[in-house]
Amino acid sequence: MKFKLLAQSVLIGAGLLMVGLTPAQSQTREESQGMVLLRGLPTLDTNHSIAIVELDPESDQFGELLSEVEQPDIQHPLHHLYYSPNGRLYSTGLDPSCSLAEIGLSHDSGGTPVIEGFTCLDTQGQIVGEDIMWATSNGQEYMFVTFMGGTGGDDGGSVGVFDTQTNEVVKIIEARKSQVGEGEPYIMYPHGISAFDDRMVVTSTIHPDMTTGVGNVLTIIDLNTLEPIQNIVVENEKPLDFPSSPVEVLFARPDMHADIEPAILANTMFGFETWKIPYDAGSKTFGEAEVIYSGVANETAVPLEFYGTEDELFISHGLPGVVKRYELAALPELVSSGPDIVADPGAHHMIFFTSASGRDLIAVQNNLLNLGNAADDDPTDVDFIADLNAHTITIHDLETGERIAEVNFKESYNKGVDNVEGLFGSGFVHHH
Amino acid sequence: MLRVFLTAAVAVMVAATAWVFWDRARGSTATPIAGFSAPFVFGRFAVPPDNPLTEEAFALGRHLFYDPILSGNNQVSCATCHMQALAFTDGLAKSPALSGGELEFSSMSLINLLWGQERFFWDGRATSLEAQALMPIQHPDEMDQDLDALITELQASRDYRRMFRKAYGEVSAENVARALSTFMRMLISTDSKYDRFLRGEVRLTAQEEHGRKLFMAHPDTKVSLRGGNCIDCHSQFLTSGFRDALDGFSNNGLDSDDDLPDGLMAVTGNPAHKGFFKVPTLRNIAVTAPYMHDGRFETLEEVMDHYNDGIVVSDTLSPLILEADNAPEAGQNTVGLRMTPGEVQSIIAFLNTLTDEGFLTNTQFSNPFEGDG
């Protein structure tokens, strides 16, 4: 217990283990390397780790881990990686001792990228870090982090506002449903986050223990006051008989493409839907929420992430494990721009890059959550998601979607793969 | 007696030959640079596989860089035109030529050369540091040294023989180039105020931050976004150049078609490259005056005046410059950014955050023949 408390403050790389670095490869192309968060599988006796993996199928080192730092002392793994606008790398985390961390990267004298370790940041008690975005409030830029567990409790959840230079908590945005008045806006289990002008949106997903409660609203935060001002319900079909559990959001906005009319898009993890909520920037009001994609009608489930390139928007659907693609310029409408990219169950995060010969590629990480499989007697298994963890990254031709190669982390490293980002920059143009 | 003497002489000769042979054949005992770690934000770099960064090569390169033995008259060293306190420039518009008069170009700052570059010199005529390093040595107006003569001189020095042996094995022109390149690759600057800002260690002042935003922004009057547009060309401003062969060359509007120098065209033969020069690093820019390939501007104010309303139009002028205008309605007497004096001062304040005092005084990069060498 004492250790937990201690670890909760700043834990600099203590107990870190540098393992198995391949010899210096001075001529490698960094653009095809991915930063991945790997999850130790309890039944296979492996540790969580942060690693750099080569993802270019044309490379001799395809699928190899070029650098890896393990986290033997952390029970739950790190969760999502994000680069700050100044190029610093952060990760949210599921373990209460490390809900948010900054990761140190450097190059050795041969030019090989090296993960130096990570520093857990003080979140002032906010736990289960999910998404990060950098946005401006009154002319000052901050790092906003959603904490699905917030400061604890049955209806917890917070948005942490951090100083971008010092990583210190500037403010905790919290509004418990049980404490705000009837009909007043609340924040509960926030996960997805996006913003446009002076409006930020977060989702209400699910209590981190997966049983206590599930959300069905979006919360709008006024970036001038950093206070929640409105809830918007996004719930219709209930194929699982659960609340809809909105997960990732994207505030589609003109700076992504000049033709875009601003609107929030939100995926509901248990409703299997994509919602659109139009926004009128003049009056600062939101219109009717409407379903623009139905998983039930289209035989897909668990829609997750939004990622954009210069001209397309990609949405991952955990089941059957596909990435659907749309015209970026047509947003907020979803106008298909090509056939589905067929990945693996759990299709989730993705990055875009080119191969050594110049072929445009997309890599899809296929694992819904940082959870194991019942078949392996994994204690972290949750029934519903048993089929959603392929533990792979599949590589596809971006133009045709053709599947070219895969890295199976479970087979190769006895680990799951929870997140992927480009090593050098983020690997995509739009995400939040 | 004679026999004994002869035997002894033979023995000595055998020993001597063996020693020479051993000396040559021993090869290097070079060790990788200890504790090397380069900031990730500068991006990827590549060291030639046949010239890894080692302590011994660095020590040798540093001695060579500061040693006038490299010149024909034994009076000029690389450091004559590349002085550490001036970020390895010489403070002159154009460096002096051995034959009297001046060289065609202004000396270039040597800093963070590890990153990327595939083209060196203002007109890009060298394609690697190793290729570049021997050029000033042989140039009749720079160091005017015959390479064979140089190798003979270096071989005569016990210290150099030892340093070459440890670093590479033998004394050769190729290894001179390698060692100089290693020294220059290790001229790494990572501690300007702006670097510390990127690492989250300090804050910029409001003026510096304003300048940073302007530096990074392309002006767009439609959405009333003001910008200095510098990043469009100077995106590698923290390091020293671009990795993609000819990407880092452009015409930034210094001269009219009538007196436009050849620039990159002299190397590629492509008329579209006439007047193109290398976009240089902006690190330590506050101490590397005068500016541009011919040192025509004395101060950063003059540089900014140029970009603000002194652009000279020519056929190959960069469209990025032509398009960047903060006040297109203001009439077309001049071409430039047309920013306010306050905005110009902010950009200069930002440029001043790029000075790395620690680098300019780092004793590891100083003259090893003086002081604590």
Side-chain angles (χ1 to χ4, degrees):
Chain A
M1 214 60 265
K2 250 205 181 125
F3 170 75
K4 272 264 160 83
L5 276 179
L6 224 149
Q8 209 139 357
S9 57
V10 184
L11 183 148
I12 307 175
L16 288 185
L17 213 73
M18 296 287 298
V19 292
L21 302 188
T22 50
Q25 289 291 324
S26 53
Q27 307 300 319
T28 45
R29 295 170 68 253
E30 264 175 23
E31 40 280 76
S32 64
Q33 294 168 6
M35 286 285 313
V36 284
L37 294 175
L38 302 183
R39 184 195 196 288
L41 297 173
T43 49
L44 298 174
D45 211 17
T46 47
N47 290 319
H48 310 316
S49 58
I50 311 169
I52 297 172
V53 60
E54 175 59 60
L55 291 175
D56 183 354
E58 293 169 17
S59 163
D60 296 343
Q61 292 185 295
F62 175 68
E64 282 179 33
L65 302 187
L66 307 174
S67 174
E68 185 177 23
V69 169
E70 297 211 323
Q71 303 129 35
D73 294 336
I74 295 188
Q75 193 193 348
H76 302 292
L78 294 179
H79 196 36
H80 288 164
L81 295 162
Y82 293 91
Y83 285 93
S84 83
N86 282 350
R88 294 163 75 181
L89 180 61
Y90 291 86
S91 178
T92 53
L94 300 178
D95 198 282
S97 71
C98 199
S99 306
L100 182 64
E102 181 166 0
I103 296 171
L105 292 175
S106 72
H107 284 108
D108 71 13
S109 64
T112 306
V114 176
I115 302 166
E116 297 206 312
F118 62 103
T119 308
C120 299
L121 305 177
D122 181 3
T123 61
Q124 295 195 359
Q126 303 172 93
I127 53 170
V128 192
E130 287 289 343
D131 291 4
I132 307 180
M133 93 172 282
W134 283 261
T136 303
S137 166
N138 297 315
Q140 179 68 45
E141 186 176 63
Y142 297 99
M143 173 167 77
F144 291 83
V145 185
T146 51
F147 291 95
M148 213 158 76
T151 52
D154 286 355
D155 62 350
S158 62
V159 179
V161 186
F162 292 78
D163 185 303
T164 53
Q165 289 301 99
T166 62
N167 294 334
E168 278 160 12
V169 173
V170 174
K171 179 171 175 155
I172 296 176
I173 309 177
E174 245 182 332
R176 280 181 197 273
K177 196 176 179 185
S178 62
Q179 283 172 10
V180 301
E182 181 67 29
E184 293 293 310
Y186 63 88
I187 295 174
M188 191 168 74
Y189 324 139
H191 182 149
I193 185 168
S194 192
F196 169 55
D197 280 353
D198 57 0
R199 291 292 180 266
M200 176 170 270
V201 55
V202 296
T203 56
S204 175
T205 308
I206 187 168
H207 190 279
D209 70 7
M210 309 268 168
T211 45
T212 305
V214 183
N216 67 355
V217 299
L218 308 180
T219 306
I220 308 297
I221 293 169
D222 181 343
L223 282 174
N224 303 299
T225 58
L226 298 178
E227 294 292 342
I229 52 171
Q230 186 182 353
N231 284 131
I232 297 168
V233 178
V234 283
E235 183 164 79
N236 177 32
E237 206 121 24
K238 285 186 166 186
L240 300 174
D241 220 15
F242 276 130
S244 64
S245 188
V247 55
E248 298 296 342
V249 274
L250 177 70
F251 210 139
R253 51 194 184 266
D255 65 15
M256 293 170 57
H257 191 288
D259 295 345
I260 296 179
E261 299 281 341
I264 294 173
L265 299 181
N267 288 333
T268 58
M269 194 162 68
F270 297 156
F272 304 166
E273 292 163 337
T274 303
W275 288 72
K276 176 186 87 175
I277 302 98
Y279 178 64
D280 179 34
S283 63
K284 299 194 180 187
T285 52
F286 290 92
E288 272 309 292
E290 69 172 289
V291 176
I292 54 170
Y293 176 88
S294 158
V296 171
N298 289 282
E299 296 182 358
T300 61
V302 198
L304 294 165
E305 300 282 342
F306 298 94
Y307 282 92
T309 58
E310 299 283 347
D311 49 13
E312 283 183 283
L313 179 80
F314 296 81
I315 301 181
S316 51
H317 297 262
L319 282 176
V322 294
V323 175
K324 293 190 172 273
R325 58 201 298 172
Y326 305 98
E327 304 284 353
L328 191 73
L331 292 183
E333 305 310 325
L334 296 181
V335 176
S336 174
S337 59
D340 295 354
I341 295 166
V342 182
D344 279 340
H348 200 169
H349 300 280
M350 60 197 88
I351 59 171
F352 306 86
F353 58 97
T354 53
S355 73
S357 70
R359 190 169 178 186
D360 287 327
L361 303 175
I362 173 174
V364 185
Q365 166 260 337
N366 305 293
N367 223 17
L368 171 65
L369 275 176
N370 309 280
L371 295 165
N373 261 328
D376 300 332
D377 280 335
D378 191 322
T380 53
D381 178 66
V382 173
D383 270 355
F384 166 71
I385 43 190
D387 293 333
L388 285 174
N389 291 331
H391 300 304
T392 56
I393 290 184
T394 50
I395 323 286
H396 312 254
D397 183 284
L398 181 60
E399 209 185 309
T400 63
E402 178 204 345
R403 180 167 169 151
I404 303 169
E406 68 162 48
V407 186
N408 188 321
F409 287 81
K410 191 168 166 203
E411 269 172 21
S412 303
Y413 304 107
N414 287 334
K415 296 187 186 194
V417 56
D418 292 343
N419 191 222
V420 63
E421 286 270 304
L423 170 63
F424 191 58
S426 300
F428 46 79
V429 182
H430 309 287
H431 187 27
H432 290 296
Chain B
M1 192 60 212
L2 187 68
R3 181 102 149 246
V4 172
F5 178 77
L6 274 179
T7 316
V10 167
V12 167
M13 273 171 63
V14 167
T17 319
W19 162 253
V20 169
F21 191 77
W22 164 239
D23 195 31
R24 295 221 172 132
R26 248 191 298 180
S28 80
T29 49
T31 44
I33 304 271
F36 181 96
S37 164
F40 203 72
V41 284
F42 293 177
R44 185 190 78 141
F45 64 83
V47 180
D50 62 353
N51 190 21
L53 298 175
T54 65
E55 296 283 358
E56 291 75 11
F58 174 77
L60 171 60
R62 180 179 169 200
H63 280 81
L64 292 171
F65 189 88
Y66 281 97
D67 198 338
I69 195 176
L70 260 61
S71 58
N73 64 9
N74 286 345
Q75 287 174 10
V76 184
S77 73
C78 307
T80 307
C81 305
H82 298 288
M83 299 182 232
Q84 184 183 10
L86 301 177
F88 295 98
T89 60
D90 61 4
L92 302 169
K94 292 178 179 174
S95 304
L98 274 185
S99 59
E102 45 188 25
L103 298 175
E104 203 181 340
F105 293 115
S106 183
S107 174
M108 298 175 85
S109 128
L110 305 179
I111 200 157
N112 290 353
L113 288 156
L114 181 58
W115 278 271
Q117 299 218 74
E118 289 182 357
R119 295 260 165 191
F120 300 87
F121 293 128
W122 284 108
D123 60 6
R125 65 188 180 283
T127 49
S128 76
L129 267 187
E130 277 79 359
Q132 177 282 327
L134 297 179
M135 293 183 176
I137 299 178
Q138 302 171 86
H139 193 296
D141 265 335
E142 294 186 35
M143 301 169 93
D144 195 23
Q145 172 73 284
D146 175 74
L147 285 182
D148 292 334
L150 173 61
I151 297 315
T152 310
E153 272 184 85
L154 289 171
Q155 245 154 2
S157 151
R158 166 202 277 265
D159 285 347
Y160 272 120
R161 277 203 315 272
R162 184 178 46 82
M163 282 195 281
F164 271 93
R165 189 183 64 236
K166 282 172 140 182
Y168 296 109
E170 59 164 355
V171 183
S172 69
E174 213 180 21
N175 289 335
V176 169
R178 287 188 174 140
L180 283 168
S181 303
T182 294
F183 175 68
M184 292 191 283
R185 287 198 177 97
M186 287 301 294
L187 296 175
I188 297 175
S189 159
T190 63
D191 215 23
S192 68
K193 180 173 186 183
Y194 187 63
D195 295 306
R196 282 181 271 131
F197 162 78
L198 289 180
R199 294 197 293 267
E201 293 163 13
V202 295
R203 288 180 207 279
L204 300 182
T205 65
Q207 189 188 35
E208 290 161 352
E209 175 61 23
H210 184 213
R212 181 176 87 99
K213 290 215 172 84
L214 291 166
F215 185 93
M216 306 288 173
H218 190 94
D220 186 347
T221 43
K222 283 197 291 292
V223 293
S224 49
L225 175 69
R226 304 194 52 89
N229 201 35
C230 316
I231 198 76
D232 275 4
C233 300
H234 288 278
S235 65
Q236 310 299 309
F237 67 104
L238 292 178
T239 59
S240 63
F242 289 74
R243 143 161 60 136
D244 299 310
L246 300 178
D247 261 11
F249 290 82
S250 61
N251 172 353
N252 67 342
L254 294 171
D255 293 303
S256 68
D257 282 317
D258 292 341
D259 33 30
L260 200 61
D262 285 350
L264 182 62
M265 185 179 90
V267 177
T268 63
N270 182 348
H273 292 154
K274 192 169 164 68
F276 274 36
F277 285 97
K278 178 166 169 171
V279 182
T281 183
L282 295 182
R283 189 174 272 284
N284 288 315
I285 194 72
V287 304
T288 64
Y291 302 107
M292 304 297 168
H293 67 269
D294 53 5
R296 67 174 65 191
F297 299 132
E298 296 283 335
T299 61
L300 288 174
E301 279 75 9
E302 284 180 31
V303 171
M304 286 310 298
D305 285 348
H306 162 73
Y307 285 117
N308 214 30
D309 56 14
I311 297 290
V312 181
V313 177
S314 59
D315 284 347
T316 58
L317 174 64
S318 166
L320 295 168
I321 288 211
L322 266 181
E323 285 162 9
D325 192 339
N326 286 282
E329 321 75 33
Q332 301 296 330
N333 313 336
T334 59
V335 180
L337 292 163
R338 287 185 271 212
M339 296 187 292
T340 66
E343 288 170 331
V344 166
Q345 281 310 315
S346 294
I347 291 189
I348 293 175
F350 169 68
L351 293 175
N352 274 294
T353 68
L354 304 177
T355 306
D356 180 350
E357 290 295 339
F359 173 84
L360 302 175
T361 54
N362 187 338
T363 51
Q364 285 186 298
F365 306 147
S366 64
N367 188 341
F369 300 106
E370 284 170 5
D372 57 13

